[in-house]
Amino acid sequence: MQNIDSLLSLPIDTLVLLAAGYLGYRLAFTGKDREHKTTDVIFISAAFAAIAKAVMMIGTACGATTAGLMLAAPVSLLAAIIWRRWMSEWVFGILKEKQIMTHDRTETAWQSLIAKDGNVVRQIVVHRTDGVSYMCKDFYEFKDMRPTKLILGDDGSIVMPVSHWRDTNETEWDKHDDVMDPVWGDRITYIPAAQIRSIAIRME
């Protein structure tokens, strides 16, 4: 409690910088921060805090100190969005093209897949270790589904609507007609990573 009181006693501009830096980090790297260490968190947060500080300094120089203080965090968060959505792929794409860096900053192919933003999954087939297979043939059929349609877990697990399934040694797919039910609600299926043998995904 004493630490919180000490933090809140800091000047308002310092609190804004700390908040803007950390929120910028979380926004830019949520889902991509598994390998980050404390130093990564500190220095990346400091980078976004520096953007907020620059906005404050510009506001002060223009005689609009209050406006600079109010805009510091939003501009920092906007920078985080731009970095996550466009700039990171552009920068690392150039580094790969010039063969300066070929690593995609993840430990496994699965982490690389789920860390990429902007990929739209159209179809997924999950083959379980017991021979049973699950498929969502077309995610567009479930665009109005109330729960989250698809979760690719960091641990390799999957949550998905199962429109078709196939038992061991079967060749034909059986269709589920009750995935979306106006009375009972929408059904999604959780598949633990330990039960998954392989996955096939179609993306747009």
Side-chain angles (χ1 to χ4, degrees):
M1 193 68 180
Q2 184 176 359
N3 291 334
I4 296 178
D5 291 337
S6 299
L7 180 64
L8 295 177
S9 66
L10 293 172
I12 185 63
D13 55 344
T14 302
L15 291 174
V16 169
L17 290 177
L18 292 173
Y22 184 70
L23 289 176
Y25 166 74
R26 297 309 312 164
L27 184 57
F29 290 95
T30 293
K32 304 181 179 184
D33 55 356
R34 181 175 180 175
E35 304 163 37
H36 286 185
K37 299 178 175 60
T38 303
T39 51
D40 297 314
V41 177
I42 292 173
F43 283 103
I44 296 174
S45 297
F48 289 111
I51 295 174
K53 179 64 174 179
V55 174
M56 288 183 182
M57 293 174 66
I58 292 172
T60 301
C62 295
T65 303
T66 302
L69 185 65
M70 294 178 62
L71 290 173
V75 172
S76 180
L77 295 179
L78 178 61
I81 293 172
I82 293 173
W83 172 260
R84 183 183 185 109
R85 187 65 183 87
W86 296 287
M87 279 198 66
S88 61
E89 291 296 322
W90 179 71
V91 169
F92 289 108
I94 291 177
L95 294 176
K96 288 182 180 180
E97 181 181 344
K98 301 300 181 182
Q99 296 185 343
I100 298 173
M101 185 185 72
T102 57
H103 193 269
D104 67 354
R105 298 159 288 143
T106 56
E107 291 183 348
T108 67
W110 180 252
Q111 290 177 16
S112 179
L113 174 67
I114 65 177
K116 290 186 181 299
D117 297 313
N119 290 333
V120 178
V121 176
R122 183 65 183 267
Q123 182 185 96
I124 185 169
V125 179
V126 178
H127 301 289
R128 294 193 338 193
T129 53
D130 60 1
V132 175
S133 297
Y134 293 146
M135 174 169 64
C136 182
K137 189 173 183 179
D138 188 353
F139 274 96
Y140 284 165
E141 293 181 10
F142 306 106
K143 58 184 177 62
D144 297 324
M145 178 174 275
R146 289 187 295 274
T148 301
K149 292 188 289 293
L150 176 66
I151 300 175
L152 303 177
D154 194 46
D155 62 346
S157 61
I158 293 178
V159 173
M160 59 181 277
V162 176
S163 64
H164 295 73
W165 74 286
R166 187 172 62 191
D167 207 347
T168 307
N169 300 323
E170 295 290 332
T171 58
E172 298 295 326
W173 290 92
D174 293 321
K175 189 176 189 303
H176 285 302
D177 295 319
D178 59 347
V179 178
M180 298 181 68
D181 189 290
V183 177
W184 293 99
D186 302 333
R187 183 179 66 188
I188 54 178
T189 301
Y190 168 72
I191 312 168
Q195 295 182 9
I196 298 175
R197 176 170 54 85
S198 65
I199 303 166
I201 299 178
R202 293 185 187 273
M203 290 185 170
E204 295 181 341

